[in-house]
Amino acid sequence: AMYLALRPSVRRAAYERFGDAYSHANCTRARIFAARAPNVSGLDAAQRLLRYNRYDTDPLCSDAGADAIAARSDLREGGGTPSGGIDSKVTSWRLVVEGDGAARAQSGPTHDDQPAFDWAQFPSTVRLGQPDRFDFPWVDMQFDDEDQ
């Protein structure tokens, strides 16, 4: 995906071959953002939007969780693959200015509307240094610029 973002000619060829899945304006995530972002008011709502994956009830989602804003390929029928969105970070003007550069973050795939990701589903996958289950809460972070 990063390669597609960095190479316009490759992205253009992918769009010509696969259609809207490779369109910045018409891919599933873009359509979900277009439908839901205007209703976001406040940091909590922004956090929910960034962790949004209601593939099982949202008619805009078409690939069993893999094309939602917070993608989860492990949700595909038959087990899928352990890939997708791995964290979210959000800040606001108020946190940056009044919070001296603060932000909020949540580690791991979304578990707002789906079960928490658990490596037990993929017993043969090597995963050194990772927890068994990713069900972490949002945490507040403070930037430290003193060393720069």
Side-chain angles (χ1 to χ4, degrees), residues 1 8-9 21 33 54 57 59 61 71 77 81 83 88 98 101 113 119 131 145:
S9 62
F33 268 112
R54 293 185 188 154
T57 60
C61 292
E77 194 170 320
T81 59
S83 62
S88 291
E98 295 176 16
D113 298 299
W119 278 110
D145 291 345

Side-chain angles (χ1 to χ4, degrees), residues 6 11 13 18 21 34 46 48 50 80 88 93 97 109 112 116 118 140 144:
L6 297 176
R11 187 176 59 245
F18 300 108
R48 283 191 300 279
L50 292 176
S88 291
W93 178 252
V97 174
D112 287 4
D118 196 315
D140 293 327
D144 182 5

Side-chain angles (χ1 to χ4, degrees), residues 8 24 41 45-46 63 65-66 70 75 130 136:
H24 285 292
S41 177
D63 190 15
L75 298 172
Q130 294 188 18
F136 301 105

Side-chain angles (χ1 to χ4, degrees), residues 47-145:
Q47 289 173 204
R48 283 191 300 279
L49 181 62
L50 292 176
R51 304 294 278 175
Y52 184 86
N53 189 326
R54 293 185 188 154
Y55 80 92
D56 45 352
T57 60
D58 189 333
L60 293 175
C61 292
S62 60
D63 190 15
D67 62 358
I69 292 174
R72 292 267 311 264
S73 294
D74 63 298
L75 298 172
R76 289 181 171 147
E77 194 170 320
T81 59
S83 62
I86 58 170
D87 64 20
S88 291
K89 298 159 288 284
V90 65
T91 193
S92 67
W93 178 252
R94 185 177 202 173
L95 283 176
V96 170
V97 174
E98 295 176 16
D100 201 25
R104 292 182 183 167
Q106 187 176 46
S107 181
T110 186
H111 54 86
D112 287 4
D113 298 299
Q114 301 299 333
F117 176 83
D118 196 315
W119 278 110
Q121 185 179 347
F122 304 97
S124 62
T125 302
V126 177
R127 56 172 186 92
L128 300 173
Q130 294 188 18
D132 293 334
R133 185 174 169 87
F134 284 84
D135 57 357
F136 301 105
W138 284 91
V139 296
D140 293 327
M141 301 184 324
Q142 188 72 39
F143 299 122
D144 182 5
D145 291 345

